[in-house]
Amino acid sequence: MDMDDDALQSLRAQILDAAATRTPLDLRGHGSKAAWRPAPARADAQVLDVTPLAGISAYEPTELVVTVRAGTSLAELEAVLAEQGQFLAFEPPRLGGRGTVGGMVASGLAGPARASVGSVRDFVLGATMLNGKGELLSFGGQVMKNVAGYDVSRLLAGSWGTLGVLCDVSLKVLPRPIATATLRFALSAPEALAKLTTWSRQPLPLNASMWHEGVLLLRLSGAQAAVDAARHSLGGEWLDDAVAGPLWDRLRDRTHALWAFAAQGLPAGHRLWRLSVAPHAPMLRLRGEGLIEWHGGQRWLLSDEPADAVRAAAVQAGGHAECHVGAAPGEPRTAPLSPVLARLNQQVCASFDPHGLFHHAH
């Protein structure tokens, strides 16, 4: 990507104008993840629309690498990959077709297969970005073995746009698995966690798991022989792909019943929490309705428990809690960083964005 590009020139001009007037900027694609940002943009922030940065710049199916501009829809990218029998293995949420590649990287959100294949960050090979001084910076590369210098391109994953404007990104893609199978088990939550802990220690082709309301779904993926052997050894009820596929899609795209209920408006005092904990951690002593995925590592909780109680329980289980839906006005969605991490975070942000155009709300 070069600065002769009209869309890039327009974005750079807006950044330079904002820097001159110290006007905060609100990076926005289709707005599909706006409600999930760690902190809202300031009321006086100027919207910086990144959707003109669209299109696939380069794709080498034999190298399993694609370079795509940040405003490109996930639907467009996945359609191109599907033609070559390839996909984004970490299954980012598509959010009704409104999700973009830039939003995918900025949020760092991954789907059901995250615990087995890795996070968004693990698939980012390189990126270009405009920093808070309007400079076009390039990091990483377009090959899987590129490890020169600091891995800033992966630092962009999960940064929520606080470092600058992601312009394009090179991603590792994978061939679709030869075989998949979904098994269904009737288990309580403690029983499901115990099973998942045991299975995770065995050489099984585990790909994804979900427990909700007494039912554990387990997805196997890989070579046909491995999937068939695991399917017969684990037991359970096999679900036809026509039945299982939509179940996994609803989990991936966060249209499952738990999110659908939250989207309708939560009762007073209730929040939908996302808890990241050690997979082997036992059930948390918190009241409310739950959903477990990532082989026990990610747990969703719809509860009226006090925020301090939920956060303390998550820390005790080796992780942290994030208020996904229902935070009160002014209430932080995530727990504050430790003083050391907060200082390091501030230094990194300031080096990319000295005028605080992007990280003003964080």
Side-chain angles (χ1 to χ4, degrees):
M1 181 172 284
D2 58 60
M3 288 304 300
D4 292 332
D5 182 276
D6 290 342
L8 201 59
Q9 285 280 24
S10 176
L11 289 172
R12 181 173 183 270
Q14 293 177 72
I15 291 172
L16 292 176
D17 287 346
T21 58
R22 298 300 189 269
T23 302
L25 293 171
D26 177 13
L27 304 187
R28 192 177 301 176
H30 295 302
S32 62
K33 303 176 183 67
W36 300 341
R37 297 195 305 188
R42 269 176 34 183
D44 60 341
Q46 174 184 317
V47 173
L48 190 65
D49 182 9
V50 301
T51 55
L53 288 175
I56 295 174
S57 305
Y59 179 29
E60 296 293 339
T62 57
E63 298 294 331
L64 300 176
V65 174
V66 63
T67 300
V68 59
R69 305 182 85 184
T72 309
S73 72
L74 281 174
E76 177 184 346
L77 172 58
E78 292 197 308
V80 171
L81 296 179
E83 292 177 355
Q84 300 295 325
Q86 298 176 353
F87 75 135
L88 299 172
F90 51 90
E91 300 181 306
R94 293 161 297 194
L95 306 174
R98 296 182 300 128
T100 62
V101 171
M104 172 191 78
V105 175
S107 67
L109 298 176
R114 160 68 176 85
S116 298
V117 304
S119 66
V120 178
R121 179 178 289 108
D122 297 316
F123 288 79
V124 173
L125 301 174
T128 60
M129 63 171 285
L130 284 167
N131 66 7
K133 295 184 287 186
E135 299 170 333
L136 185 64
L137 308 178
S138 180
F139 306 102
Q142 296 180 343
V143 295
M144 295 185 197
K145 295 182 180 179
N146 188 305
V147 293
Y150 295 106
D151 206 352
V152 176
S153 56
R154 295 190 179 189
L155 184 64
L156 297 175
S159 66
W160 288 99
T162 58
L163 302 180
V165 182
L166 180 67
C167 298
D168 68 12
V169 58
S170 294
L171 299 165
K172 176 173 65 175
V173 298
L174 293 180
R176 285 200 169 276
I178 295 173
T180 61
T182 295
L183 303 177
R184 181 185 185 277
F185 303 84
L187 297 168
S188 67
E191 290 172 335
L193 287 173
K195 288 285 189 183
L196 289 168
T197 298
T198 299
W199 291 337
S200 296
R201 293 169 177 168
Q202 298 176 6
L204 295 168
L206 304 183
N207 178 259
S209 59
M210 176 183 69
W211 179 90
H212 181 61
E213 294 185 338
V215 174
L216 172 66
L217 296 182
L218 187 70
R219 187 170 66 189
L220 308 172
S221 175
Q224 188 70 60
V227 170
D228 288 344
R231 174 183 162 188
H232 289 100
S233 67
L234 292 174
E237 174 192 357
W238 173 73
L239 297 185
D240 185 87
D241 288 345
V243 176
L247 296 176
W248 294 115
D249 284 343
R250 286 196 288 272
L251 181 63
R252 171 184 179 176
D253 295 326
R254 300 193 178 178
T255 57
H256 182 275
L258 195 66
W259 289 280
F261 177 79
Q264 294 172 3
L266 295 176
H270 284 69
R271 300 175 179 86
L272 177 59
W273 292 93
R274 173 182 176 268
L275 298 95
S276 177
V277 301
H280 60 270
M283 286 296 296
L284 306 183
R285 296 183 179 277
L286 297 168
R287 62 177 175 269
E289 181 182 357
L291 183 149
I292 301 171
E293 58 176 329
W294 296 2
H295 310 331
Q298 180 161 273
R299 307 184 191 182
W300 298 87
L301 177 69
L302 183 59
S303 175
D304 62 352
E305 289 273 15
D308 289 346
V310 176
R311 296 192 193 281
V315 170
Q316 188 175 8
H320 61 273
E322 169 190 294
C323 183
H324 193 68
V325 178
E331 177 186 356
R333 294 181 59 245
T334 58
L337 298 174
S338 68
V340 172
L341 288 179
R343 184 168 62 252
L344 179 60
N345 181 66
Q346 185 65 29
Q347 290 172 348
V348 171
C349 287
S351 66
F352 286 97
D353 181 22
H355 306 306
L357 305 182
F358 307 120
H359 66 279
H360 54 87
H362 303 270

